Amino acid sequence: MSERERDTMFSRSLYATLLFSLVQLSISTQQIVTPPPLPILPLPSYSQLKWQQREVIMFLHFGVNTFTDSEWGTGNENPAIFNPTGLNATQWVETAVKAGISLMILTAKHHDGFCLWPSKYTDHSVIGSPWQNGHGDVIRELVKAAEPRGVDVGLYLSPWDRHDQRYGHDQEYNEYYLAQLQELLNNYGNVREIWFDGAKGKNAANMAYYLDDWFSMVNELQSSINIFSNAGPDIRWVGDEKGFAGETCWSTINRTSLSIGDGIDLGYLNTGDSKGTDWLPAECDVSIRTGWFWHEYESPKKLKELLEIYYNSVGRNCLLLLNVPPNNTGLISDKDVQRLREFRSAIDTIFGTNLAEKWYVNASSQRGGEGGGFGPENVLDSDHLWTYWAPRNDQDKEDYWIEFKATDDGVDFNVVRIQEAIGLGQRIKRHEIYVDGDRIASGTTVGYKKLHRLKMGAVHGYSVKIRIIESRGVPLVSSVGLHFDPFWQSSSLSRRRHVPHQQA
């Protein structure tokens, strides 16, 4: 071997040794990340998580009742009365967009049996209407208007049908109903929510709904859809039409205890079940007016009423389904449009700024220690779902807390927002809030979002501590905010300035 060859071999050996050493050094200095805690079952699906984050969606009750000044049609209405000469679905969608709403659910068929699309299985539909000379399709109009604006569409198909003579004959009617489901879910693109309810008049014919067949068909035709009914399987009714959830509200419940129709436990729907085996979050349906369909003599609810509903639905771990009915011209009335804009503006005003954003934050402990990825600073970032504070598993379960301290002169606030990392399960059972050492609020569940609107009005605080008193496993808090609501005036106590213990 020549001298040159020996030098080349030596150089290659030295290079390999240096490269190996660098790799070993890189491995030794790489930070080992602590894995997330185990989830607590049941968990939400991807579609359920997306649904929950919408917070407010829109219902559109529209049909023959709009022209008869009715809430429940008889089923004997002449389709010719349906004639919305100025119908403009783009106006509906623009109203929703400006209200921050990303999903609109239309009553494709209400209890009267009249269909807003040209169904092949009945002539009790827009086929018999003078609107667009019988060639109209309200669902198509909505889908065409919604798609370019990035708004999703949902559909309501009433199980109870007061018009069709097959109703009361189990097999014949279920065949008809399934045929219409196939029409709706095959012909109008992605449908994000399908709405089934249990409403039925006392004198209605006895009728068995083939629910398992319906649900299976829906999931076969639309893989990313959520199915709403009293019994889910994806979204449950909250149990009232006021838009109020229970002060305790679990997204978990036992579906085997639920059913569509009479005899359902409304209280159970309202609160859910901490031991529930199914993830079935609640949807709060309420109308912007007194009625569900448009009536000329009605006006929209006042802004303070809508905010009250928001705090008691979205602020209690639910989604708000707000009905905004088009009028007999086929437009959403100006008064309703204006009230929706005021509602969205108020929400943005209240929650657009987190007054604790720059505060120092500390916690009782943190999983993985400092730098482990689960520190309390996560609750002040912009991700309200997948970054979170997690305490150690071995911490005393009676002493979970997270505390915020002002870096300046403190702030005035009257709303405290708390959110859990629900992607790993709902956990918190009881919690308390302290301002400068004084307890100012307490509650039970948190879930996706809990909003505490302080009963005493606004306080001036220098430190805020949230204590988790009871939890299913370790609590995982994804976001905390302090907010000021200028529209809230406590009825019991006037606004006061809070004096901390250390300065008393």
Side-chain angles (χ1 to χ4, degrees):
M1 180 182 297
S2 67
E3 184 175 350
R4 182 176 181 179
E5 288 174 329
R6 286 196 299 270
D7 289 345
T8 300
M9 289 182 62
F10 176 77
S11 297
R12 289 176 176 173
S13 175
L14 180 61
Y15 174 77
T17 302
L18 287 171
L19 181 62
F20 178 76
S21 298
L22 287 171
V23 170
Q24 291 298 103
L25 179 62
S26 174
I27 293 173
S28 64
T29 57
Q30 180 181 352
Q31 183 177 357
I32 304 300
V33 178
T34 303
L38 289 172
I40 293 183
L41 302 180
L43 300 180
S45 69
Y46 174 84
S47 295
Q48 287 171 322
L49 277 180
K50 184 174 181 179
W51 169 89
Q52 186 92 57
Q53 292 173 89
R54 295 181 191 271
E55 296 198 357
V56 181
I57 63 176
M58 186 183 288
F59 221 170
L60 298 163
H61 274 65
F62 190 52
V64 290
N65 293 345
T66 308
F67 298 85
T68 61
D69 202 26
S70 303
E71 285 291 302
W72 279 10
T74 65
N76 298 319
E77 293 85 2
N78 186 336
I81 68 172
F82 182 80
N83 190 21
T85 55
L87 191 147
N88 186 345
T90 298
Q91 188 252 5
W92 304 355
V93 172
E94 289 304 312
T95 298
V97 170
K98 290 176 181 177
I101 290 169
S102 62
L103 173 61
M104 306 172 75
I105 301 176
L106 176 65
T107 53
K109 183 188 79 168
H110 204 251
H111 312 323
D112 48 71
F114 179 80
C115 300
L116 293 182
W117 79 103
S119 175
K120 296 183 296 186
Y121 302 101
T122 181
D123 59 2
H124 194 60
S125 75
V126 287
I127 294 172
S129 165
W131 176 63
Q132 296 192 3
N133 296 317
H135 299 290
D137 184 338
V138 182
I139 300 175
R140 182 75 60 200
E141 295 285 331
L142 177 58
V143 170
K144 284 168 54 180
E147 185 175 7
R149 298 295 279 130
V151 174
D152 291 322
V153 171
L155 297 171
Y156 167 108
L157 189 67
S158 172
W160 181 33
D161 191 317
R162 305 186 76 179
H163 173 81
D164 199 278
Q165 297 303 306
R166 286 165 285 201
Y167 193 86
H169 302 278
D170 292 354
Q171 180 172 333
E172 291 85 350
Y173 182 73
N174 276 280
E175 288 175 345
Y176 169 63
Y177 193 86
L178 277 167
Q180 291 199 316
L181 268 181
Q182 291 176 67
E183 282 187 313
L184 295 176
L185 301 181
N186 274 326
N187 297 329
Y188 295 98
N190 290 329
V191 177
R192 296 304 184 185
E193 184 169 335
I194 188 78
W195 224 83
F196 304 120
D197 71 359
K200 185 191 293 186
K202 294 181 179 179
N203 297 321
N206 189 30
M207 178 78 220
Y209 300 143
Y210 296 174
L211 298 176
D212 289 341
D213 293 1
W214 299 2
F215 297 163
S216 295
M217 178 65 70
V218 169
N219 285 319
E220 178 185 351
L221 298 177
Q222 297 272 350
S223 61
S224 59
I225 200 169
N226 283 314
I227 301 173
F228 170 96
S229 80
N230 292 353
D234 302 306
I235 304 165
R236 76 179 193 263
W237 184 40
V238 77
D240 62 51
E241 293 183 345
K242 299 185 303 181
F244 281 32
E247 290 189 17
T248 296
C249 190
W250 290 94
S251 292
T252 53
I253 206 166
N254 288 317
R255 281 195 62 211
T256 55
S257 302
L258 304 177
S259 62
I260 292 181
D262 298 331
I264 194 165
D265 186 342
L266 300 182
Y268 190 58
L269 284 173
N270 203 239
T271 62
D273 190 338
S274 63
K275 298 179 180 179
T277 55
D278 303 287
W279 188 274
L280 198 60
E283 188 169 274
C284 300
D285 58 325
V286 65
S287 186
I288 196 170
R289 293 164 169 247
T290 303
W292 290 93
F293 286 88
W294 176 82
H295 304 285
E296 187 173 10
Y297 55 86
E298 290 183 352
S299 295
K301 291 179 170 65
K302 295 178 181 178
L303 175 60
K304 67 177 183 179
E305 294 178 86
L306 293 179
L307 288 174
E308 182 79 8
I309 291 168
Y310 182 86
Y311 279 106
N312 287 285
S313 55
V314 176
R316 289 182 176 178
N317 186 38
C318 294
L319 179 137
L320 171 58
L321 173 58
L322 183 61
N323 179 64
V324 186
N327 60 30
N328 58 6
T329 303
L331 299 172
I332 295 176
S333 298
D334 290 342
K335 290 188 294 185
D336 296 354
V337 171
Q338 181 61 29
R339 189 54 42 82
L340 278 174
R341 289 181 182 176
E342 291 173 0
F343 183 42
R344 171 47 54 187
S345 177
I347 292 172
D348 291 343
T349 296
I350 298 165
F351 299 103
T353 300
N354 183 355
L355 299 172
E357 185 177 15
K358 298 182 186 294
W359 284 22
Y360 171 76
V361 58
N362 191 24
S364 51
S365 70
Q366 62 187 72
R367 182 180 179 86
E370 188 173 349
F374 300 99
E377 66 276 2
N378 288 340
V379 306
L380 295 178
D381 66 17
S382 59
D383 186 334
H384 298 171
L385 195 60
W386 293 112
T387 63
Y388 47 87
W389 163 61
R392 293 195 312 265
N393 283 338
D394 59 352
Q395 183 188 325
D396 182 356
K397 293 182 180 180
E398 298 300 317
D399 196 27
Y400 295 122
W401 54 263
I402 185 167
E403 186 174 29
F404 306 81
K405 292 186 177 180
T407 56
D408 46 28
D409 294 330
V411 296
D412 291 337
F413 64 94
N414 55 10
V415 177
V416 180
R417 172 179 53 84
I418 311 172
Q419 298 185 241
E420 284 188 75
I422 60 170
L424 293 173
Q426 187 176 353
R427 299 165 180 249
I428 296 173
K429 291 184 174 182
R430 286 195 302 126
H431 63 282
E432 296 176 340
I433 300 172
Y434 293 81
V435 173
D436 300 328
D438 289 342
R439 189 175 73 176
I440 61 165
S442 61
T444 53
T445 49
V446 171
Y448 170 72
K449 182 174 286 187
K450 174 66 178 181
L451 298 176
H452 284 276
R453 190 164 55 170
L454 303 182
K455 294 180 180 179
M456 74 284 293
V459 298
H460 187 88
Y462 298 85
S463 71
V464 176
K465 176 182 281 190
I466 298 171
R467 292 190 62 215
I468 312 302
I469 307 301
E470 187 177 359
S471 176
R472 299 170 66 232
V474 293
L476 306 179
V477 178
S478 63
S479 187
V480 174
L482 304 181
H483 305 279
F484 182 77
D485 179 351
F487 309 95
W488 165 240
Q489 297 295 329
S490 174
S491 59
S492 56
L493 293 172
S494 60
R495 181 181 179 278
R496 67 185 180 90
R497 188 174 182 85
H498 190 83
V499 180
H501 278 317
Q502 61 267 30
Q503 296 182 10

